[in-house]
Amino acid sequence: MSQKQNQVILITGASGFIATHIVRDFLHAGYHVRGTVRSSATAELVRQSFSQFAPQLSLVIVNDMSKPGAFDEAVQGVQGVIHTASPFQVFNVEDNERDLLRPAIDGTINILTSVFTHAPEVKRVVITSSFAAMLDISKGSWPGHVYSEADWNMTPYEVAAAKGAPAGLAYSTAKALAEHAAWDFVKTNKPNFDIATIMPPMVYGPNINATANLAKLNTSSADIYRLVSYQTKSSDDVPQNMFWSFVDVRDVSTAHLRAYEVLEAGGERFFLCAGNFTYQRFVDALRERIPEIQDRVPIGNPGTGTVPSSVYTINNTKSQKILGIQYHKLEDTVVDAARSLLKLEGSLPK
């Protein structure tokens, strides 16, 4: 994976929260990046974000990644692929199969088929999967279990696609089935490339997305912003955890870069997780590190943010050993995330 300046890396979904960091890291590393976006307006915003890298960055429009051949043109002439594009919105979903399952699965199959058919120089494809692809929802907080790359979400397609099935269940199942489809594709077709998959839980950290606005934030940024927004008061209740594991977006981005570059990463799944959290720890860090907004951050019960012993734990040693990831601390992650959102709001200088 040498001679970076001569390599073109395709990054799908290039305007996304995670993908924007990946684009930045690959550009900084010296690669040429070709990003896919869904509109010319979005393409222009991405170009503006990386104006200093104009000679290294190009963008192509892929309106619907679920259509066969959607990526045929985009993959031509590239040497590597980072596939981040996937539906994430789980609110107001009308049809689980149409809106979540098929786009995730078909999009993954389509990118691999396009690479297999039209991009013979590609030796590795890195796919953004999710902790959702590992999570056994039926176990709840699963006391005593240690989640690792050995875990798979085993929910059947039919259950997730059924009328009335929760959109969250369909989303997590879509991530698992899309990843299964990728591994099955490689096993069946034996292409010239191998794959690696990255599985993060809740991804927090600074939002550098040029398309971001406070009215339409990605899920994890919105999760942080509700703790520091103008509408929040120090007397408000601290949210209860519905989910326990987190990782910094910068670590996820680094993992994608290294999963592409490190030879031993081929054919591997990587659980990217810094550990477990509670919102009490979030607000404690925010109140201590950004004192000028204390009046709009819930107080709760300071110092009581220990994760309950009834919650599963995690094993992230594989990502550290093979990819060399050194995880950001929770306090740095949440504070940097909040500062980026407060700058977007205008209450802190840019």
Side-chain angles (χ1 to χ4, degrees):
M1 305 293 180
S2 59
Q3 297 181 320
K4 299 176 184 179
Q5 68 275 14
N6 296 323
Q7 292 193 42
V8 180
I9 309 300
L10 179 69
I11 301 178
T12 68
S15 65
F17 171 59
I18 296 173
T20 304
H21 284 266
I22 297 173
V23 169
R24 183 178 67 175
D25 282 357
F26 271 84
L27 289 172
H28 274 288
Y31 294 98
H32 288 261
V33 169
R34 181 183 300 163
T36 73
V37 293
R38 296 181 65 180
S39 72
S40 57
T42 300
E44 183 57 33
L45 287 171
V46 175
R47 287 191 188 95
Q48 291 173 14
S49 293
F50 299 106
S51 57
Q52 70 273 36
F53 294 101
Q56 291 173 242
L57 177 65
S58 62
L59 294 154
V60 295
I61 297 172
V62 176
N63 291 314
D64 185 356
M65 68 178 185
S66 65
K67 291 184 178 179
F71 296 103
D72 284 357
E73 182 178 348
V75 303
Q76 294 183 30
V78 307
Q79 286 73 49
V81 175
I82 313 298
H83 180 51
T84 78
S86 185
F88 189 82
Q89 179 61 265
V90 297
F91 303 106
N92 302 318
V93 171
E94 296 177 355
D95 185 312
N96 287 345
E97 185 170 31
R98 182 196 66 200
D99 299 334
L100 293 171
L101 290 161
R102 291 314 333 162
I105 298 167
D106 294 343
T108 298
I109 294 172
N110 287 342
I111 187 71
L112 295 178
T113 300
S114 292
V115 173
F116 184 52
T117 308
H118 299 288
E121 294 183 56
V122 171
K123 300 302 180 186
R124 176 156 304 159
V125 176
V126 181
I127 298 172
T128 311
S129 184
S130 171
F131 182 40
M134 303 163 51
L135 185 66
D136 188 334
I137 295 176
S138 70
K139 301 289 187 180
S141 60
W142 207 348
H145 184 67
V146 181
Y147 271 109
S148 73
E149 291 83 356
D151 287 289
W152 278 96
N153 177 339
M154 301 300 289
T155 306
Y157 183 100
E158 295 74 18
V159 172
K163 186 176 182 179
L169 175 66
Y171 167 76
S172 61
T173 305
K175 297 300 290 188
L177 294 177
E179 191 185 342
H180 271 303
W183 292 113
D184 289 344
F185 183 97
V186 172
K187 182 178 180 180
T188 301
N189 294 283
K190 298 178 173 55
N192 291 328
F193 59 84
D194 60 19
I195 66 173
T197 60
I198 307 295
M199 301 172 294
M202 284 294 287
V203 182
Y204 297 108
N207 194 319
I208 61 170
N209 189 343
T211 65
N213 65 76
L214 295 177
K216 195 175 181 181
L217 291 169
N218 63 290
T219 300
S220 60
S221 292
D223 198 39
I224 296 292
Y225 187 62
R226 65 174 174 157
L227 302 176
V228 299
S229 76
Y230 279 126
Q231 290 74 38
T232 309
K233 303 184 296 295
S234 60
S235 59
D236 287 348
D237 291 336
V238 174
Q240 297 295 309
N241 281 65
M242 300 296 291
F243 192 75
W244 298 98
S245 298
F246 84 101
V247 67
D248 192 295
V249 65
R250 293 164 290 192
D251 298 330
V252 176
S253 181
T254 298
H256 282 78
L257 176 62
R258 292 182 182 167
Y260 176 71
E261 293 184 334
V262 175
L263 182 63
E264 294 79 10
E268 299 288 349
R269 307 176 84 206
F270 294 99
F271 181 27
L272 259 289
C273 184
N276 291 342
F277 74 94
T278 62
Y279 288 107
Q280 185 64 56
R281 285 189 65 189
F282 275 20
V283 297
D284 286 355
L286 291 168
R287 293 181 62 80
E288 178 182 352
R289 299 269 293 273
I290 318 179
E292 59 267 42
I293 60 164
Q294 281 189 356
D295 61 340
R296 52 195 269 194
V297 178
I299 298 175
N301 296 300
T304 63
T306 302
V307 177
S309 60
S310 58
V311 174
Y312 63 80
T313 55
I314 64 98
N315 182 343
N316 61 10
T317 55
K318 186 176 180 180
S319 63
Q320 296 181 70
K321 181 178 180 181
I322 297 179
L323 302 181
I325 302 299
Q326 296 180 327
Y327 287 97
H328 281 77
K329 294 180 180 179
L330 178 149
E331 289 75 14
D332 293 333
T333 297
V334 68
V335 168
D336 289 349
R339 285 192 178 279
S340 75
L341 296 168
L342 291 167
K343 288 178 182 177
L344 186 63
E345 178 190 82
S347 62
L348 289 180
K350 296 184 178 181

